[in-house]
Amino acid sequence: MAPRVWYNCGMRRTAASAAVLLCLAAALHAAGAEPPPPCSLQDARLMYNQAMLLLEDDRNSNVAEVPALLETAAPVYPRAAELLLKVYEGRKKGLPAEPQKAYDLALSMASLRPQQDPVAEEIRLHAMYSLACYHEKGYGWGKDDAEAKARSLQQAFRWMKKAADAGYDTAAAELGRYYMAGTGTAADTRKAWEILFRTARRAPRTPKVYLYLGTMCACGLHPQAGTRAKADPAAAVRLFHTGALYGDAGCMNNLGVMLERGIGTRRDVRAAAALYRRAAALGNKEASTNMQRLVFKYDDHAPRAGTPPAERINNALLCVIDALPVQEHHRSALRRLLLIPTEHAPRTPR
């Protein structure tokens, strides 16, 4: 999931937001947390800031008190509720995932009626999106239980459609993918294209919308293909390029693949390598793999048959280390593990 920023510190405590806070307290209780003592909004903000400092300080390894801080602050301060959901999802350092608590918290938040307060409404819509992701990724069904899996995917589609219909652009992009792939519903590529195209025009920075549109063009699933699948690689290149300009790592990787192979555009291995490096730095695993393969295989567009294997492996690993989204001292520690010391390691020109 790609969470967005929904809250602002200066929000006014309206009647609508008060109702949301009560529901958050009920959600925490349903998730198994002990009912925390009431605290003021100022105290809740301090608890939230303390939790953030504990999580973001690399020198600190003791984050055991973070869940308790957030569980106390969440009923009063929505930012704390957002962060608590991430903690329950296991997306914060040193804290194990607690899927049941995350599901219960998101379900209680998503079950609210539409709110007048935009902050409260964003909380509700993101909770719906989160529930859809939980169901799609396997909440409540085993790998060998086909019937339970089908029911869970139907629930994923239901929650994603509710969030998309209410105006949540990230959910609209994923709903288009659901229709494209037939996830939890019958496949309908025309409806998928309409949803994705409308979302791209309304909110062009929506994550993955150009990735899915480009994929449909590359696979011949766009409306212009007619009854017979007819790929349009040139259109796919244009869409992936637009998504890459907006910072989508998946579009960068796919555009790199098409440049490397010369599909729908002129072949350009150097540009492909640059795109792989950018996408890998954003955490795209496929781009990291593609970058390793490309650096290992090529040197300025020429096969590196005469280069010693250790040097080729070293160059590939250096590029991977440079692309990792970690701090520089962590990169330095990884470089010390290379086959050839970095001060003597030849580098492939970028």
Side-chain angles (χ1 to χ4, degrees):
M1 291 176 283
R4 297 165 57 188
V5 179
W6 297 282
Y7 308 106
N8 61 78
C9 294
M11 81 166 193
R12 294 179 297 175
R13 299 186 63 187
T14 62
S17 58
V20 173
L21 298 178
L22 290 174
C23 290
L24 288 176
L28 292 173
H29 180 67
E34 290 295 327
C39 64
S40 66
L41 179 60
Q42 182 178 2
D43 289 341
R45 286 176 175 169
L46 290 174
M47 291 178 188
Y48 169 79
N49 291 333
Q50 183 180 353
M52 288 293 294
L53 288 173
L54 290 172
L55 291 171
E56 294 180 353
D57 188 353
D58 290 332
R59 298 168 298 179
N60 177 65
S61 59
N62 183 16
V63 291
E65 61 181 297
V66 168
L69 286 170
L70 294 175
E71 286 165 359
T72 303
V76 181
Y77 191 44
R79 278 188 184 269
E82 174 197 18
L83 183 58
L84 182 60
L85 191 59
K86 295 179 183 178
V87 167
Y88 285 159
E89 291 172 348
R91 295 164 55 192
K92 293 298 177 180
K93 68 171 187 178
L95 294 167
E98 299 185 74
Q100 186 62 53
K101 288 186 177 182
Y103 184 88
D104 290 341
L105 179 57
L107 181 61
S108 295
M109 293 160 62
S111 299
L112 297 170
R113 291 180 295 179
Q115 303 294 313
Q116 296 297 323
D117 184 357
V119 174
E121 184 66 2
E122 287 287 350
I123 295 173
R124 188 178 73 93
L125 298 183
H126 177 67
M128 292 180 186
Y129 172 79
S130 298
L131 283 172
C133 294
Y134 298 158
H135 280 291
E136 183 183 0
K137 292 179 179 179
Y139 181 85
W141 52 272
K143 293 182 178 179
D144 299 327
D145 192 344
E147 185 178 348
K149 178 179 179 179
R151 289 197 302 268
S152 189
L153 291 179
Q154 289 171 1
Q155 288 292 319
F157 173 80
R158 183 173 72 88
W159 283 113
M160 196 69 78
K161 190 173 187 305
K162 287 183 68 174
D165 290 345
Y168 197 59
D169 295 323
T170 303
E174 296 303 318
L175 182 65
R177 176 176 63 85
Y178 280 17
Y179 277 116
M180 176 176 63
T183 301
T185 186
D188 189 336
T189 55
R190 184 170 294 276
K191 182 174 289 188
W193 181 270
E194 291 173 356
I195 292 172
L196 291 168
F197 190 78
R198 186 168 59 247
T199 304
R201 294 194 65 179
R202 181 178 67 246
R205 292 184 177 274
T206 302
K208 298 185 180 179
V209 65
Y210 293 104
L211 176 64
Y212 299 148
L213 284 170
T215 300
M216 292 186 73
C217 286
C219 297
L221 300 176
H222 54 293
Q224 291 77 13
T227 56
R228 298 181 60 186
K230 184 178 180 181
D232 189 348
V237 167
R238 291 194 297 270
L239 287 163
F240 290 147
H241 182 261
T242 302
L245 291 177
Y246 283 122
D248 187 276
C251 287
M252 293 177 192
N253 176 69
N254 287 9
L255 181 59
V257 171
M258 302 191 82
L259 283 167
E260 181 188 352
R261 299 179 181 179
I263 301 174
T265 185
R266 180 176 58 86
R267 188 168 184 264
D268 190 338
V269 177
R270 185 181 293 276
L275 285 164
Y276 291 152
R277 186 174 289 111
R278 287 175 58 199
L282 293 173
N284 188 282
K285 296 180 181 178
E286 291 79 8
S288 181
T289 301
N290 287 332
M291 185 175 61
Q292 292 182 63
R293 174 184 49 75
L294 200 62
V295 172
F296 188 80
K297 184 176 179 182
Y298 291 100
D299 181 12
D300 287 340
H301 305 272
R304 307 179 58 193
T307 307
E311 181 183 324
R312 297 168 67 187
I313 294 172
N314 211 72
N315 277 340
L317 291 175
L318 280 170
C319 285
V320 175
I321 291 171
D322 289 343
L324 290 174
V326 297
Q327 295 187 352
E328 184 58 36
H329 68 275
H330 291 147
R331 290 197 183 94
S332 300
L334 290 171
R335 291 189 189 107
R336 290 195 290 270
L337 303 176
L338 293 175
L339 298 175
I340 306 174
T342 53
E343 58 269 21
H344 304 297
R347 299 299 302 273
T348 300
R350 291 177 180 267

